[in-house]
């Protein structure tokens, strides 16, 4: 018996099979990626994808919400408990939309926002010049100290005093150290700004108590659900009670139509998973693995921005190796090690061919890898770097990577069910 997908769309079926093979046969070091559990996968491919639920529980615009109201309420309650927040909105389609909604809830177009420069580790939606956020709002960017690679709070305070932003955004997409949300909170208070903390990357570390939570300091906390938090692809906003109504209105009807109920259902599952001792152990191991990977890379003579990592990611500054980030990322990909090239603070190279490589350990940790595998991966990276133009050696590393992958299977997939499973 063939599955429905195999029967109706053999082309897509085959491509999904190929992607499954690629994901399980390569080492995923992109710090924003992970593998969801079978339970999350099941919820996100469930019949909830068929339901429109514009509005919020108890205040919908279509009938037939007997079940959706219960699911959304569960997702909200679980998120509030997990993050110890007054209010949770679980509808944003992604982290980017969540950020837009947070701004729309608190300020007017034309007001000033101040976030971290993209080339220093911030996100596009923190007011970067090609993003709509810099066209709707006046945008000021703070940077890290290019010598230390770290946030410089004196400089950030001075910039805030000079420009008096209405919103300060704390949070990053490529920053390897702990972020002092409390200090950001003080600066925001000094200049009369709202504080938004974007924990898209570190949410899993925050709920596990490994990274300081911004919830006590920020007016609004924005996050994705699919990075270290290990849920389906989505976004979420947490806020103080006083902002709850404005935040909800900004998401719907401000920015979105019907919430993706299948995603929201899977978010509820992921929140339950994150509220377990197993998840805390995973998050602790993510950080231990990052440290092991970083230490070994340093031994091999790689330069790391800030000299190491406190969290799940690190940035290699490749200038001393004389290899552009893109060239190494492509060679590593041929050796089945998937990374992304990245700018480093103060990068003299152009952004489409920057000097850095960004690595993270959430996905390998989900597969069960520990410090010794992280060190082995550092050795693979070293060998590819030293033999960047020797294709036979890169191929040999790829074979060893495949062997390592076979010992650490990814969570079982749902989309291509077993013969005796659901057939639709
Ligand atoms: C990933 C990320 C986002 C955006 O998330 P998408 O779901 O890709 O829209 C926002 N902010 C930060 C800091 C991120 O790392």
């Amino acid at each position: 018996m063939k599955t429905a997908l195999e029967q109706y769309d053999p082309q897509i079926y085959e491509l999904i099979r190929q992607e499954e093979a690629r994901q399980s046969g390569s080492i995923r070091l992109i710090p924003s990626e992970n593998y969801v559990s079978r339970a999350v996968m099941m919820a996100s491919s469930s019949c909830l994808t068929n339901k429109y639920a514009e509005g919020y529980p108890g205040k919908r615009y279509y009938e037939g919400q007997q079940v959706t109201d219960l699911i959304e309420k569960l997702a909200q309650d679980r998120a509030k408990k997990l993050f110890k927040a007054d209010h949770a909105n679980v509808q944003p389609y992604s982290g980017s939309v969540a950020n837009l909604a947070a701004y729309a809830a608190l300020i007017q177009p034309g007001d000033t926002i101040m976030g971290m420069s993209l080339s220093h580790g911030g996100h596009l939606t923190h007011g970067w010049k090609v993003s709509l956020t810099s066209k709707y709002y006046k945008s000021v960017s703070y940077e890290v100290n290019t010598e230390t690679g770290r946030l410089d709070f004196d400089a950030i305070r001075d910039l805030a005093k000079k420009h008096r932003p209405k919103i300060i955004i704390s949070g990053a997409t490529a920053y390897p150290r702990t972020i002092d949300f409390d200090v950001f909170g003080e600066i925001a208070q000094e200049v009369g700004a709202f504080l938004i903390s974007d924990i898209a990357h570190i949410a899993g570390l925050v709920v596990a108590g490994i990274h300081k939570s911004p919830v006590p300091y920020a007016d609004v906390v924005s996050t994705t659900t699919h990075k270290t938090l290990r849920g389906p692809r989505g976004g979420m906003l947490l806020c103080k009670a006083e902002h709850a109504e404005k935040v909800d209105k900004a998401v719907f009807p401000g920015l979105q139509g019907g919430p993706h109920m299948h995603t929201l259902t899977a978010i509820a599952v992921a929140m339950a998973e994150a509220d377990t001792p197993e998840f805390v152990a995973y998050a602790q191991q993510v950080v231990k693995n990052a440290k092991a990977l970083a230490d070994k890379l340093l031994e091999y003579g790689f330069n790391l921005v800030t000299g190491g990592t406190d969290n799940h990611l690190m940035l290699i500054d490749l200038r001393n190796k004389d290899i552009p980030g893109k060239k190494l990322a492509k060679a590593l990909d041929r050796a089945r090690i998937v990374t992304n090239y990245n700018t480093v603070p103060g990068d003299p190279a152009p952004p489409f061919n920057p000097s850095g490589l960004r690595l993270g350990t959430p996905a390998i940790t989900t597969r069960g890898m520990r410090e010794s595998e992280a060190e082995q991966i550092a050795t693979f990276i070293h060998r590819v770097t030293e033999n960047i133009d020797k294709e036979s050696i890169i191929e040999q590393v790829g074979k060893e990577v495949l062997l390592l992958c076979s010992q650490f299977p990814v969570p079982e997939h749902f989309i291509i069910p077993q013969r005796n499973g659901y057939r639709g």
Side-chain angles (χ1 to χ4, degrees):
M1 278 279 275
K2 287 184 171 178
T3 61
L5 191 60
E6 216 174 343
Q7 234 167 35
Y8 287 109
D9 199 334
Q11 237 179 330
I12 285 292
Y13 174 83
E14 173 54 26
L15 290 173
I16 293 174
R17 290 291 297 264
Q18 285 181 22
E19 175 63 9
E20 277 186 355
R22 190 197 65 80
Q23 290 192 13
S24 65
S26 58
I27 290 173
R28 167 170 280 187
L29 291 181
I30 295 175
S32 44
E33 292 184 352
N34 216 323
Y35 301 96
V36 298
S37 70
R38 187 180 159 98
V40 167
M41 196 72 95
M42 237 175 127
S44 68
S45 58
S46 69
C47 66
L48 269 302
T49 198
N50 299 332
K51 186 60 196 142
Y52 247 104
E54 283 185 352
Y56 291 100
K59 297 165 278 185
R60 306 280 192 192
Y61 291 79
Y62 305 137
E63 296 313 309
Q65 312 289 354
Q66 295 82 348
V67 178
T68 44
D69 276 7
L70 298 177
I71 289 175
E72 184 164 356
K73 196 79 185 45
L74 260 182
Q76 290 169 343
D77 289 346
R78 289 176 183 178
K80 283 195 290 188
K81 173 169 182 269
L82 199 57
F83 287 94
K84 302 183 180 68
D86 295 347
H87 180 71
N89 187 306
V90 290
Q91 294 195 3
Y93 299 146
S94 78
S96 301
V97 185
N99 282 346
L100 290 177
Y103 307 157
L106 299 174
I107 62 170
Q108 297 301 315
D111 287 345
T112 302
I113 61 171
M114 183 173 122
M116 193 172 186
S117 159
L118 178 89
S119 59
H120 284 234
H123 191 260
L124 279 166
T125 55
H126 296 176
W128 193 240
K129 47 194 171 222
V130 297
S131 158
L132 201 70
T133 54
S134 79
K135 301 189 168 78
Y136 268 47
Y137 304 103
K138 284 198 207 83
S139 169
V140 181
S141 298
Y142 59 85
E143 302 189 332
V144 297
N145 177 312
T146 47
E147 247 145 65
T148 62
R150 291 182 186 248
L151 291 167
D152 176 345
F153 284 108
D154 291 335
I156 293 169
R157 181 178 281 107
D158 288 346
L159 199 66
K161 282 185 173 159
K162 185 170 164 206
H163 294 281
R164 298 262 150 193
K166 288 268 177 72
I167 284 176
I168 295 177
I169 305 142
S170 56
T173 193
Y175 187 67
R177 297 294 180 176
T178 299
I179 296 174
D180 296 315
F181 295 117
D182 49 341
V183 183
F184 270 110
E186 285 164 18
I187 295 173
Q189 221 159 38
E190 279 171 43
V191 301
F194 292 112
L195 179 67
I196 293 178
S197 295
D198 180 352
I199 56 169
H201 261 263
I202 57 171
L205 308 185
V206 168
V207 301
I210 297 163
H211 192 295
K212 205 184 308 179
S213 170
V215 169
Y217 313 107
D219 291 284
V220 178
V221 174
S222 169
T223 186
T224 62
T225 48
H226 50 272
K227 297 182 184 176
T228 52
L229 196 54
R230 213 162 62 176
R233 190 155 287 247
M236 191 153 68
L237 289 167
L238 306 151
C239 68
K240 300 196 186 307
E242 58 181 298
H243 300 309
E245 204 181 320
K246 284 178 291 177
V247 163
D248 283 351
K249 281 193 175 144
V251 175
F252 176 86
L255 271 159
Q256 298 190 167
H260 295 175
M261 280 312 301
H262 56 306
T263 301
L264 227 139
T265 307
I267 287 176
V269 176
M271 294 300 104
E273 288 178 352
D275 201 7
T276 58
E278 290 77 15
F279 188 87
V280 173
Y282 141 81
Q284 285 168 342
Q285 192 63 45
V286 165
V287 175
K288 285 186 204 161
N289 286 351
K291 180 126 187 27
L293 179 60
D295 286 349
K296 200 75 187 168
L297 288 170
L298 289 169
E299 266 181 44
Y300 285 126
F302 286 97
N303 278 341
L304 300 183
V305 174
T306 76
T309 176
D310 297 330
N311 58 24
H312 64 299
L313 70 80
M314 66 211 68
L315 270 173
I316 305 179
D317 183 337
L318 287 163
R319 279 177 286 179
N320 67 329
K321 300 275 182 191
D322 227 14
I323 301 174
K326 198 192 255 180
K327 184 169 181 182
L328 182 56
K330 289 197 175 297
L332 286 170
D333 191 51
R334 292 199 298 281
R336 298 175 175 270
I337 296 173
V338 189
T339 63
N340 70 277
Y341 53 87
N342 216 97
T343 53
V344 293
D347 205 331
F352 56 87
N353 192 19
S355 306
L357 197 70
R358 191 178 67 148
L359 312 174
T361 51
I364 63 162
T365 308
T366 294
R367 291 180 79 148
M369 296 186 192
R370 303 175 78 89
E371 288 93 327
S372 63
E373 287 79 30
E375 288 176 4
Q376 208 178 331
I377 291 168
T379 306
F380 291 146
I381 294 171
H382 168 65
R383 280 167 60 199
V384 171
T385 308
E386 294 301 304
N387 297 284
I388 190 82
D389 293 315
K390 295 193 191 121
E391 218 44 51
S392 62
I393 294 182
I394 292 172
E395 204 177 302
Q396 175 57 32
V397 172
K399 284 181 187 155
E400 293 173 42
V401 168
L402 194 57
L403 195 65
L404 178 65
C405 288
S406 68
Q407 292 156 15
F408 295 90
V410 305
E412 223 181 310
H413 293 272
F414 177 71
I415 193 153
I416 308 284
Q418 297 304 309
R419 294 269 184 269
N420 59 356
Y422 161 83
R423 274 192 291 271

